[in-house]
Amino acid sequence: MSMILFPLAGYLLLTFALAFWAQRQSKRNGAGLEEYFLGGRSMGGFVLAMTIIASYTSASSFVGGPGVAYRLGLGWVLLAMIQVPTTFLTLGVLGKRFAILGRRLGAVTITDFLYERYRSDGVVVLCSLAVLVFFAASMLAQFIGGGRVFQAVTGCPYEVGLFIFGLSVVLYTTVGGFRAVVLTDALQGIVMLAASVVVLTAVVHACGGMGNAMQSLKAIDPMLLSPSGAGGSIPVPFLLSFWVLVGFGILGLPQTTQRCFGYRDSKSMHSAMVMGTLIIGFLLLFMHLSGALGRVLLPGLESGDLVIPSLILEILPPFWAGVFLAGPLAAIMSTVDTMLLLLSASIIKDLYVRYWLKNDLSRLPPRRMGLMNLGCTLAVGLLVFLAAFNPPDLLVWINLFAFGGLEAVFLWPVVLGMYWKSANAAGAVCSIISGTGVFIALTVGKLTPLGMHPIVPSLALSLLAFIIGGHMGRPVPPEVAAVFWEDGGKK
Amino acid sequence: MRSRFRQADREALITLGLYLFFFLWWAAFALGMGAGDPETYSYVLGMPAWFFFSCVLGYPLITLLLWLAVRRWFKDVPLDGDPERIEDKEEQQP
């Protein structure tokens, strides 16, 4: 037991050390909103790639996803591989414009950016609300996943695990801000990568080679080898709607798109696109394939969610099990830290500074910002923590619900805001309200029109609402158009 | 020289093109090759052929294409401020 806990504790200590180092870096650069929430826009390529991956891959990539692959087989691995383009799609479509406009406007959050584009309080309030609600839901899923992994591994009660790891995330996020979050993301990314290689190699080895592993799966149920999954439970419309939900829909996830504000130069972005794709593909393939093949080694697991931790415990010697169990925990913590920071940014920058201080940053001394941030992070962390004490049993689904909700709110306002010159505030508000409304109604009512995930009709309808609403609202003011589409100097 | 925004738009289009390519590759092998009865599958390196091509080969391939596209078409542009404004600041200095 202690052989497992030792590396885990060491890993947490390393994370804290990075956070304090990051805090000193920040102090040297002068405290302030842009420094605290964006690290002074100085990320290099490797850190940029890692932070996008780590914020994106979460409990559902390391716990829930492989868990479903365990039950359904290679079909779910196929579904997971839709997420390979996440990094290059986010950076390639939004990256450069976001970086240039973010600097021009001094934007820190996506909501900030949308305010400058639409000049509408409705948009700001709706977006801030969405961030609060859906980030909280998503963090809840992460906390539960973390607690479960901890419980499975150490045998300590679920609540103890929840306490230790919840507290660690809240603390290091508050201490170090953005720099701490992205640095620990890079560390966590490396841990995840190493864990995925070791786990898959060990699983394939224990099965007696890849060919044997596949044949054993086939002996359990031939459909485990088919793209439609065991029992044909992944029909084609469902598969294709995941292409929307975790495919191009990710352009609407504020936790990854916000990273486009924070990198140093074009070169960082270019290398992050290539590195990020290579690394995330690796992670997704290895973890999900391990989950699917895990069925051969551990056929009778009660909950699929435990397949990765159980495999690690089963196959590796205790010390190394401890090291690589840090992998799933890293995936979880690196998502929670990003969300905590963005939630706090949303409360402070989007609501408090904009409305209480009338957008006058000089009225916010660094000391007060530090205190407020501490307060927000602790309060939100605590709320989610309390909610996680009585967990619902639907890990993947809570997370996907939060994903879909964020996409229904942000996808069209962000993408059309940048690429459609006539997109206006009325359109954005209509789109947000109708998209979110339909998404929540369909999800709560458990309706899947034509076998599709609710996100597909929601996004289709919110696009339509955007266009109709846009035609009825006022046109975009020329000064906004000038900021967003005219490039000073180079013609 | 092209404006930074026009360049960014071009890069966004290239990205979307690659995204579409990845999607078609992924879907064609999975839904085409994988459609039949699992008993009739052929195998590559021990894995069902559809899985090997769609999932295992697809992502290194897209990474390679991406690397080529970034080298060939993506331009290094300044991100800070507007080039004009930067010049203004320099003039104001004593």
Side-chain angles (χ1 to χ4, degrees), chain A residues 423-484:
Chain A
N424 60 11
V429 171
C430 293
S431 156
I432 293 173
I433 292 179
S434 59
T436 324
V438 172
F439 180 73
I440 292 179
L442 288 179
T443 310
V444 172
K446 294 197 167 63
L447 298 172
T448 49
L450 305 173
M452 292 180 297
H453 186 277
I455 191 67
V456 181
S458 311
L459 286 182
L461 201 82
S462 68
L463 177 61
L464 195 69
F466 203 124
I467 295 169
I468 295 173
H471 277 292
M472 296 198 291
R474 269 172 297 172
V476 180
E479 67 270 19
V480 172
V483 170
F484 276 78

Side-chain angles (χ1 to χ4, degrees), chain A residues 260-281:
Chain A
C260 299
F261 289 138
Y263 62 86
R264 188 172 48 219
D265 51 23
S266 304
K267 278 209 182 67
S268 320
M269 183 198 113
H270 298 163
S271 54
M273 280 176 76
V274 180
M275 270 191 288
T277 308
L278 189 67
I279 296 170
I280 200 170

Side-chain angles (χ1 to χ4, degrees), chain A residues 193-211:
Chain A
L193 206 59
S196 67
V197 177
V198 171
V199 172
L200 183 66
T201 315
V203 167
V204 170
H205 182 75
C207 290
M210 184 62 86

Side-chain angles (χ1 to χ4, degrees), chain A residues 272-360:
Chain A
M273 280 176 76
V274 180
M275 270 191 288
T277 308
L278 189 67
I279 296 170
I280 200 170
F282 208 83
L283 275 178
L284 291 168
L285 179 65
F286 278 45
M287 288 325 290
H288 287 82
L289 190 54
S290 303
L293 297 180
R295 180 94 173 235
V296 175
L297 299 175
L298 306 167
L301 284 186
E302 255 173 64
S303 160
D305 280 357
L306 293 178
V307 61
I308 294 294
S310 312
L311 278 173
I312 293 178
L313 281 178
E314 190 77 12
I315 304 174
L316 298 173
F319 178 79
W320 291 104
V323 171
F324 291 112
L325 278 167
L329 288 178
I332 292 165
M333 296 205 298
S334 58
T335 301
V336 174
D337 60 12
T338 299
M339 294 194 161
L340 275 176
L341 193 70
L342 281 181
L343 257 178
S344 161
S346 184
I347 296 171
I348 296 179
K349 179 79 167 56
D350 298 337
L351 298 175
Y352 178 72
V353 172
R354 186 174 302 288
Y355 293 110
W356 199 262
L357 301 182
K358 308 276 181 268
N359 222 6
D360 181 7

Side-chain angles (χ1 to χ4, degrees), chain A residues 104-120:
Chain A
R104 186 181 277 184
L105 302 164
V108 169
T109 64
I110 300 295
T111 312
D112 244 0
F113 177 82
L114 291 176
Y115 177 78
E116 297 291 346
R117 173 66 181 80
Y118 296 110
R119 304 278 169 98
S120 150

